Amino acid sequence: MNEKDLARAELIRRALERYERPLVRYAQRITGDLDRARDVVQETFLKLWQGRAPDDAALATWLFTVCRNASLSVRRKEKRMSHLETNADVRAGESPGPAAAMQQQEDLGRAAAAMATLPARQQEILRLKFQEGFSYKQIAEITSLSASNVGFLIHTGIKRIQELLQAQA
């Protein structure tokens, strides 16, 4: 291997460590199937290996855009709707008591049900913002929307979820 190939291999290794799990989670939400999501992510990293790698600043946006496009293609091809689910991550050492954990699960369930009433595109944007931590600009690049449209969808989505949760209280 020459120096260029070694640098590319190191980039791929770092990208896999950092982005593989978030990409699989993201692709699974779009495709509705874990195995298909893993295939899409594998295809995404293969494209990264074969193509001209973006610089580190644009890598996450590039990976999520390629993954999104491939996931949508899989979903269109198979004509399946994605299944939505919410997973609560409880870190070791931070686990609440049984009553608090039950309340947290109930709250998450109500929030997930409220979010499920939103249009699929709005759900996707909220997940990119709050689960993956992308900026409005990055979300705009991934979804081919304007940053102002992304901001509007996030604002109205949060407002609608709050309204639904308050109505339940």
Side-chain angles (χ1 to χ4, degrees), residues 96-114:
M102 181 179 270
Q103 181 64 45
Q104 183 180 27
Q105 284 297 97
E106 288 175 11
D107 291 344
L108 283 171
R110 284 193 297 276

Side-chain angles (χ1 to χ4, degrees), residues 8 11 48 51-55 59:
R8 183 183 246 14
L11 170 77
L48 179 62
R52 190 173 62 89
D55 61 20
L59 182 60

Side-chain angles (χ1 to χ4, degrees), residues 50-118:
Q50 293 171 340
R52 190 173 62 89
D55 61 20
D56 282 345
L59 182 60
T61 303
W62 186 91
L63 287 169
F64 274 84
T65 301
V66 171
C67 182
R68 177 180 190 270
N69 292 339
S71 297
L72 290 172
S73 178
V74 165
R75 190 173 77 181
R76 273 191 306 270
K77 184 191 286 185
E78 297 182 7
K79 296 182 182 182
R80 288 187 156 178
M81 297 299 291
S82 66
H83 301 282
L84 303 174
E85 62 183 292
T86 303
N87 295 322
D89 294 327
V90 179
R91 295 185 181 110
E94 295 180 355
S95 58
M102 181 179 270
Q103 181 64 45
Q104 183 180 27
Q105 284 297 97
E106 288 175 11
D107 291 344
L108 283 171
R110 284 193 297 276
M115 189 164 161
T117 66
L118 299 175

